[in-house]
């Protein structure tokens, strides 16, 4: 299925969860937070949140800032 | 000699809060943080780079067990986005078991040229974040009226700007900061007021602390100094010196001189 991840198109297998997507992207889970369609999905729900065609995801981390 | 700074439920040993942005390298940033003596550092929330050559993350250089991390909402221009970003920051820090998970440095900016806060959006975001359980440290203009409104909305700390972010102009309107202090501490002397933004040199930090503010927050002045590590030392010392100077009660400024040596027993000719 086609997703939009951080503004870019991304292909993921049907039935993919947020946890599965982060694993596919080789992201250190502890360092990120995820929004699905502008709604924050708490880390505890990543494994049970199944993604759907056209979902828009934001995967954010902490960076240097003032 | 110097008491800790209490901001809501947080107690900081240093009254200097420093940013983590704009450093040449993460390693330099790590050393500058150390030298500044700060135990609270600010960070921003941004998209994870999904393709990263060296895979380094800020959190590899800022130990969440050592520093209280204060996530900001920099880059937000309305209340809705600021609340969104604050929640994302909280989510990350909760996973790291960092005490900074329950607070946020709220920035709701008006435009990119001045980076001045939009007072209306800032007030709305403060109300929403307080209702959502955040301790809100809010970046504000130095206007005492909006400062009081933000406090009344439940802000844990109001942080008036000394001058625009990154401008290095220091405190441009000391009188406004003094009135902010008066308004915010009326009947509430321990309410924390922090000058946030505009610092260029160590003297700016000392001058701000001498006004009686509880702390200073800065980033660019260290990160973009020619020698950031030495400047971090300077800022640490200036913050301590300024605080001590404020606590010591300075002499009043006078128009005319007062001699330091006794006038009695002078053996030379004196004018009338």
């Amino acid at each position: 299925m086609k997703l939009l991840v951080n503004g870019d198109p991304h292909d993921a297998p049907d039935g993919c969860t947020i946890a599965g997507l982060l694993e596919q992207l080789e992201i250190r889970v502890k360092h990120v937070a995820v929004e699905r369609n502008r709604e924050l999905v708490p880390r505890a729900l990543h494994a049970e949140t199944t993604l759907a065609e056209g979902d828009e995801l934001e995967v954010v981390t902490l960076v240097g800032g003032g | 000699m110097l008491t800790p700074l209490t901001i809501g439920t947080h107690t900081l040993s240093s009254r200097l809060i420093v940013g983590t942005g704009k450093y040449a390298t993460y390693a330099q940033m790590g050393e500058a943080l150390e030298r500044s003596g700060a135990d609270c550092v600010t960070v921003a929330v941004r998209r994870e780079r999904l393709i990263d050559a060296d895979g380094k993350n800020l959190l590899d250089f800022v130990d969440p067990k050592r520093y209280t991390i204060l996530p900001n909402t920099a880059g937000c221009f309305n209340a809705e986005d600021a609340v969104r970003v604050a929640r994302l920051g909280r989510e990350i820090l909760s996973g790291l078991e960092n005490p900074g998970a329950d607070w946020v440095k709220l920035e709701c900016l008006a435009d990119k040229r001045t980076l001045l806060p939009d007072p209306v959006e800032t007030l709305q975001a403060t109300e929403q974040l307080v209702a959502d359980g955040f301790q809100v440290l809010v970046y504000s203009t130095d206007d005492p009226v909006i400062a009081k409104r933000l406090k009344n909305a439940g802000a844990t700390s109001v942080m008036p700007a000394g001058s625009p972010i990154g401008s290095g102009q220091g405190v441009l309107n000391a009188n406004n900061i003094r009135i902010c202090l008066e308004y915010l501490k009326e009947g509430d002397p321990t309410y924390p007021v922090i000058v946030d933004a505009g610092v260029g040199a160590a003297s700016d930090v000392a001058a701000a602390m001498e006004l009686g503010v509880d702390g200073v927050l800065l980033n660019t002045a260290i990160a973009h100094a020619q020698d950031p590590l030495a400047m971090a030392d300077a800022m640490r010392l200036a913050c301590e010196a300024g605080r001590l100077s404020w606590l010591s009660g300075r002499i009043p400024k006078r128009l005319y001189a007062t001699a330091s040596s006794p006038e009695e027993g002078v053996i030379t000719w004196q004018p009338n």
Side-chain angles (χ1 to χ4, degrees):
Chain A
M1 60 181 165
K2 294 211 176 322
L3 307 170
L4 206 61
V5 182
N6 287 1
D8 292 325
H10 183 83
D11 277 318
D14 288 348
C16 184
T17 62
I18 289 179
L21 177 73
L22 294 178
E23 198 176 336
Q24 189 190 10
L25 293 167
E26 296 180 359
I27 285 171
R28 282 187 281 179
V29 180
K30 243 190 155 166
H31 288 177
V32 299
V34 180
E35 261 186 0
R36 179 196 186 195
N37 302 328
R38 293 176 71 94
E39 285 289 325
L40 173 68
V41 181
R43 188 174 281 105
L45 301 179
H46 286 185
E48 60 194 69
T49 303
T50 306
L51 298 169
E53 178 76 30
D55 273 353
E56 294 185 16
L57 294 128
E58 291 291 349
V59 182
V60 299
T61 189
L62 302 178
V63 301
Chain B
M1 183 168 64
L2 289 171
T3 53
L5 168 60
T6 301
I7 305 172
T9 59
H10 296 266
T11 301
L12 305 175
S13 58
S14 168
R15 291 174 177 270
L16 192 66
I17 299 173
V18 294
T20 54
K22 296 184 170 180
Y23 282 92
T25 64
Y26 277 140
Q28 184 191 59
M29 176 203 72
E31 201 173 338
L33 299 187
E34 177 93 30
R35 299 259 291 258
S36 76
D39 41 356
C40 172
V41 300
T42 60
V43 299
V45 176
R46 290 290 181 272
R47 281 175 169 168
E48 173 69 283
R49 287 182 302 173
L50 301 177
I51 301 161
D52 193 340
D54 56 10
K56 286 195 172 78
N57 185 288
L58 177 86
L59 294 165
D60 296 325
F61 296 85
V62 178
D63 182 358
K65 299 212 167 14
R66 175 182 172 163
Y67 293 103
T68 300
I69 298 172
L70 173 58
N72 68 26
T73 63
C76 293
F77 292 84
N78 58 61
E80 186 188 352
D81 282 345
V83 171
R84 249 180 95 197
V85 168
R87 287 176 177 157
L88 287 163
R90 176 167 67 182
E91 169 73 6
I92 297 170
L93 289 172
S94 300
L96 297 168
E97 293 170 5
N98 189 272
D102 73 340
W103 67 358
V104 63
K105 177 190 162 185
L106 173 61
E107 294 182 42
C108 243
L109 306 179
D111 68 66
K112 288 194 168 182
R113 189 157 33 140
T114 65
L115 300 181
L116 286 169
D118 179 316
V120 176
E121 296 290 331
T122 299
L123 185 59
Q124 287 173 359
T126 300
E127 288 165 349
Q128 289 174 44
L129 290 167
V130 168
D132 198 14
F134 281 90
Q135 299 192 68
V136 181
L137 286 68
V138 55
Y139 165 65
S140 171
T141 61
D142 61 3
D143 171 19
V145 177
I146 189 67
K148 192 69 197 277
R149 291 288 296 268
L150 292 166
K151 183 189 176 185
N152 290 346
T156 299
S157 172
V158 175
M159 305 198 295
S163 53
I165 294 171
S167 72
Q169 297 178 77
V171 175
L172 286 178
N173 192 337
N175 289 343
N176 265 18
I177 300 290
R178 285 169 60 202
I179 299 170
C180 281
L181 284 162
E182 207 173 293
Y183 278 21
L184 295 169
K185 288 177 176 285
E186 198 173 359
D188 190 6
T190 60
Y191 186 81
V193 180
I194 294 163
V195 162
D196 173 14
V199 165
S203 53
D204 298 328
V205 173
M209 294 303 290
E210 285 181 342
L211 293 171
V213 301
D214 298 281
V216 173
L217 197 161
L218 64 92
N219 188 155
T220 311
I222 294 178
H224 275 191
Q226 286 185 25
D227 184 342
L229 304 185
M231 188 59 90
D233 286 334
M235 296 301 187
R236 183 187 76 250
L237 294 166
C239 189
E240 291 178 7
R243 179 68 180 170
L244 277 173
S245 178
W246 160 251
L247 292 171
S248 306
R250 60 153 300 148
I251 61 166
K253 290 183 181 181
R254 292 196 179 98
L255 184 59
Y256 293 111
T258 53
S260 308
S261 304
E263 293 185 23
E264 200 180 323
V266 173
I267 61 169
T268 56
W269 175 84
Q270 300 289 298
N272 289 326

